[in-house]
Amino acid sequence: MRKFLVILDDSRECLNAMRFAAMRAAHTGGGVTILSVIPPEEFNHWIGVGEIMRAEARERIEVHYEVFAKWMRDRQNVEPELVIREGEAVAEIMSQISEDQEIGVLVLGAGAGGKGPGPLVTQLTRQAGELPIPITIVPGDLSKERLEAIT
């Protein structure tokens, strides 16, 4: 089964990337892997404090994931898979793609407005030639209706 890899982060554009991945998976009989990466700088504290922060970060991710997962299950009949990794985002995304041979498309949300597409889109498009799969970049300001029309 081909899976769409979508990145869960705190960005606003993440929402449209999630919607797009779920809709495409539903229309093509594919799956969705939701990857969230915890940056290493969050744990550069004493060991006990770092462990508490790590647990809190994972809990935040799981709660955020559950909102998207419920929508995917209820509206698109897609059961997403959550993967949480720790490290630098681009390196962890590349590792996930290498390790999961079923991932066929990386879906990223692009920021709208004058701030640019966002750091992940910028970094990963520079490395697009090294990726073994295509990248789909979903504009963050597309309406739900437009997303439905193009998926």
Side-chain angles (χ1 to χ4, degrees):
M1 167 177 50
R2 178 180 71 157
K3 293 192 281 188
F4 294 85
L5 176 63
V6 62
I7 310 307
L8 172 62
D9 58 22
D10 293 329
S11 70
R12 214 169 149 252
E13 54 271 13
C14 168
L15 175 61
N16 269 358
M18 291 286 173
R19 287 178 178 151
F20 180 88
M23 289 176 189
R24 288 296 301 144
H27 288 113
T28 62
V32 175
T33 297
I34 297 174
L35 173 64
S36 187
V37 180
I38 302 171
E41 62 269 6
E42 287 195 26
F43 310 118
N44 289 338
H45 301 283
W46 297 293
I47 293 172
V49 174
E51 289 303 317
I52 291 169
M53 291 177 75
R54 181 176 281 115
E56 288 173 352
R58 286 181 174 274
E59 186 177 321
R60 264 191 331 271
I61 289 165
E62 289 168 2
V63 167
H64 202 173
Y65 160 79
E66 211 33 66
V67 171
F68 290 115
K70 181 176 180 358
W71 180 85
M72 287 182 188
R73 282 186 220 105
D74 294 349
R75 298 283 177 94
Q76 302 300 322
N77 200 28
V78 170
E79 182 64 47
E81 163 193 22
L82 175 63
V83 176
I84 301 173
R85 298 178 75 116
E86 294 179 21
E88 297 298 329
V90 173
E92 295 304 324
I93 292 167
M94 299 292 272
S95 293
Q96 185 66 31
I97 292 167
S98 299
E99 293 168 18
D100 187 344
Q101 298 301 307
E102 291 185 326
I103 294 173
V105 178
L106 172 61
V107 180
L108 300 173
K115 295 183 180 179
L120 278 183
V121 172
T122 301
Q123 291 173 23
L124 285 163
T125 53
R126 285 185 192 138
Q127 295 181 339
E130 299 169 29
L131 284 170
I133 60 172
I135 299 174
T136 298
I137 300 173
V138 183
D141 61 355
L142 281 183
S143 68
K144 289 180 198 176
E145 295 76 25
R146 184 71 181 126
L147 277 172
E148 287 172 2
I150 62 176
T151 57

